[in-house]
Amino acid sequence: MGTLLPKWRSKYVSKTPGVRPLERSYTLFWVPSHGQSRSLGVSLLAARAMVWLTALTVMTLALFFWSYRSSRSELAELRYMRDVAESQRQEILALQEECQVLSSRLREAEVTEAQIRDMLINEGLIPQSYSADASVASAADRTRTLLLSRDGGRDRRLSAAKDMGSALETVATVTQSLDERLNQVDAGVSDLLEKASRLVAYSRARPKEWPVLGRISSGFGPRRHPVTGRREIHHAVDIAASYGQGIIAPADGVVTFAGYKSGYGYTVAIRHGFGFETLYAHCSRLRVRSGQEVQRGERIADVGQSGTATGPHLHYEVHVDGQKVDPRDFLP
């Protein structure tokens, strides 16, 4: 048996005088181990052309393969950069949403602070010319300059950023600054609300209105009783007024007694809180009941002369921590 690999042989055919080297031809013989042999004639010019064509083809394929590898690498890098940019964009949008939430919280704190200020002014605890606390107002003003909107209209640093990375860093810095300032504002407003609420509650509980308009016919202290003629300590003021004239509560509170008392006649007693209590005697008509909540200025009874009285008037007492004090100290 012959070998499976073919045997190649070449033979110079002719050296004809006058024929140029490039025009000479070569014959290639293919002699297998068995069967018929074959031959192929090739000129030197054609052989060289085939060699150059093969080399050019190999170079072209190599260049194409290198370009393809390079393109795939650049494409992968572009995809990675696109994914990073999209991730950063989503983070920026999330931070901007957080900025808007913080801005809303800041506005709510400012509104609360303004309401507290108005409440204190209306109660007469601070003057009309009072200006907002500098730490709250200035923090709000400075914070507004840092707020971000989706279109970047409020913070030019975002639009001026060179790339997504710096823009993300800018938004994160602004958000952190907003959060720190809002914490300061929240703390200030919470403290102010606590103090103001207690002050207002105290002010609303402290009697500071005339329960009825009239003249003081008998003051607080030693006196001779107009009916018995005995010397005694008068723990109230008597305010002379017209029969049936309305009596109002000088402060907020809860009615603890509404009924008839010996010597006092028809009487109303109110607990205002913070140790303040008031009593109204010799009424002709009661307009509240025990356990009822009343507000300052609310009508609670009518002037009369029930009980031990020589004429229509209001017997008005003020108690502080269980001690009867001069009501004139609480009359404007």
Side-chain angles (χ1 to χ4, degrees), residues 93-149:
L93 292 178
L95 287 172
Q96 288 177 333
E97 292 290 343
E98 186 176 352
C99 285
Q100 293 175 358
V101 172
L102 292 176
S103 176
S104 298
R105 289 177 55 195
L106 177 61
R107 286 194 295 270
E108 292 176 0
E110 288 183 271
V111 170
T112 303
E113 187 269 342
Q115 291 176 345
I116 294 172
R117 185 172 66 254
D118 293 342
M119 180 174 59
L120 294 176
I121 292 176
N122 294 335
E123 196 60 30
L125 298 175
I126 58 176
Q128 292 284 344
S129 59
Y130 173 81
S131 59
D133 186 275
S135 63
V136 176
S138 60
D141 292 338
R142 290 194 304 268
T143 300
R144 285 194 185 93
T145 64
L146 297 176
L147 295 178
L148 292 173
S149 61

Side-chain angles (χ1 to χ4, degrees), residues 157-223:
R157 291 180 299 174
L158 180 60
S159 59
K162 293 182 178 180
D163 51 38
M164 280 288 188
S166 60
L168 182 59
E169 183 179 357
T170 300
V171 178
T173 302
V174 171
T175 303
Q176 182 179 1
S177 177
L178 271 173
D179 187 55
E180 292 175 355
R181 291 180 180 177
L182 186 55
N183 288 337
Q184 296 175 358
V185 173
D186 285 341
V189 170
S190 297
D191 183 63
L192 179 61
L193 178 60
E194 181 181 354
K195 293 179 179 178
S197 298
R198 185 169 181 82
L199 280 173
V200 170
Y202 176 84
S203 178
R204 297 290 301 180
R206 187 179 188 275
K208 58 180 181 180
E209 299 287 345
W210 284 77
V212 65
L213 295 180
R215 65 177 179 86
I216 296 179
S217 58
S218 181
F220 183 91
R223 73 164 186 173

Side-chain angles (χ1 to χ4, degrees), residues 2-64:
T3 180
L4 296 177
L5 298 177
K7 296 181 180 180
W8 292 87
R9 295 180 182 179
S10 63
K11 180 180 180 181
Y12 178 67
V13 178
S14 65
K15 290 185 178 180
T16 307
V19 178
R20 290 179 296 180
L22 293 179
E23 294 178 354
R24 295 173 182 175
S25 62
Y26 292 85
T27 302
L28 301 179
F29 290 91
W30 178 33
V31 182
S33 57
H34 58 82
Q36 186 178 2
S37 63
R38 298 179 181 180
S39 64
L40 176 64
V42 180
S43 66
L44 182 59
L45 180 61
R48 288 187 176 183
M50 292 179 62
V51 170
W52 281 107
L53 182 60
T54 302
L56 182 61
T57 302
V58 171
M59 291 178 62
T60 301
L61 290 175
L63 181 62
F64 174 78

